[in-house]
Amino acid sequence: LFPEIITTEQQSLVLVKRLLAISVSCITYMRGLFPESSYGTRYLDDLCLKILREDKSCLGSLQIVKWIQGCFDALEKQYVSVFFTFLNGTLTELYQFKFKYKNKVPQMDISSNQTEFVTGLCSKDVKQASRRLLRTLYLLMQNLRPLPNDITLTMKLLYYNDVTPEDYQPPGFKEDTGSGDLLFGGDPVNLRVGSVSTDFHLMKVKVTTDKKRLRKADSNLIQKNGPTEISHQGLDCEEEEEEESTKINLLNLAFSQEEVIGPEKKRKVSEPEKLLLNCRK
C-alpha cells in the first residue's frame, strides 16, 4: 500500500498521493456518499480501507476520482494545498489537506569526499505516522453525525503563488470565480487529525465541523484556540502563526490582498469544472 522505503523524492511523492487518495476515499465512504460498488478494499494491518475506484455507474464517485487525479498533477509540480468541503447552503464540514514541500539540501560525506543526500527520517517512523493518521481519520468519521440529504461536495485547490504559473490549471479544474466567502453554520470546532513528514514532503490534515455534529472526540484532537478562518495567506504561514488566528464563523477561502499589494497578487484558487453528487446511498 505504501512504499517499503521512503528515501527518495519519488517515493515520498507516492506516499503523499496515496495518503490523499485514501483519506478522501475514507471521508466519502464513512459519510455515506456513494454505493459499495464505487470502492475497492485494501488492508493496512488490521484496518480495512475502502478506496474509491472509477465506477462508471456512479457519476459522482467518478468525478471525485478525476478531482484526485487533478490534485496529483499539482502535487507533482509542488504547487498546491487542498480544501475538501461539504456544503448545505452554508459550509457544513471542511477537510484541509495542507502540503509543504521541503528543499532537500545535499550534504558532504567527509570520509568519502562525496556529496550526497543524507536521510533524516526513518521509513518505519513515516509509515507509522501514516497508519496513525488514517486510523484517527476513520475514528473521527465514526463520531460525526450523518450529513443532510441535500449536501453538495466541492474541492478547492489553493496554490503557492511564488512557484505556480498564473495560467496553470490541473486537469478537471478551472479558475475559481466565486467571492470566496463561505459562512460556516453553527459553532465550528477544529480537529487536528494528524501529520506525516518525510525528507521531502509534509502533509497535515485538519477537519472543521459544527460542534453539534460531533458525538464525541478525543480532547487531544480539538484545537481549542485554533483558526476557523481559512485564508490564502495560511498556506505560507508557519503553524505557530496559524494557531494565533482569531476564531470566527466566516471562512474566507479567497482572501484578497489587493489593498496591500495589488490585484495581481491575489491568491490563486481553482475549483472543479463540474460538481456532481447524485449517487448518495
Side-chain angles (χ1 to χ4, degrees), residues 34-60:
F34 306 122
E36 193 74 27
S37 61
S38 296
Y39 299 88
T41 302
R42 298 289 296 274
Y43 286 89
L44 181 63
D45 298 333
D46 60 341
L47 183 62
C48 179
L49 302 174
K50 295 293 185 177
I51 302 176
L52 277 167
R53 58 187 178 188
E54 293 183 295
D55 179 11
K56 294 183 179 180
S57 66
C58 180
L59 294 179

Side-chain angles (χ1 to χ4, degrees), residues 23-35 39 84 86 92-95 137-149 151 153 207-210 212-215 277 279-281:
S23 297
V24 172
S25 297
C26 163
I27 294 164
T28 61
Y29 183 80
M30 298 297 290
R31 305 308 277 134
L33 298 186
F34 306 122
Y39 299 88
F84 188 66
F86 291 110
T92 304
E93 290 176 7
L94 169 69
Y95 298 84
L137 185 59
Y138 264 79
L139 180 62
L140 176 58
M141 294 298 99
Q142 291 171 356
N143 286 287
L144 290 177
R145 300 188 186 280
L147 289 167
N149 290 327
I151 203 72
L153 178 63
V207 178
T208 305
T209 187
D210 184 352
K212 294 179 181 178
R213 302 182 59 78
L214 193 63
R215 291 193 179 99
L277 194 57
C279 293
R280 293 293 302 274
K281 288 182 182 178

Side-chain angles (χ1 to χ4, degrees), residues 126-162:
V126 172
K127 287 190 282 188
Q128 285 179 344
S130 302
R131 287 192 288 266
R132 185 165 55 247
L133 184 149
L134 293 174
R135 286 182 183 277
T136 303
L137 185 59
Y138 264 79
L139 180 62
L140 176 58
M141 294 298 99
Q142 291 171 356
N143 286 287
L144 290 177
R145 300 188 186 280
L147 289 167
N149 290 327
D150 56 342
I151 203 72
T152 300
L153 178 63
T154 189
M155 182 180 284
K156 301 280 187 179
L157 305 188
L158 279 67
Y159 300 92
Y160 293 97
N161 275 8
D162 57 342

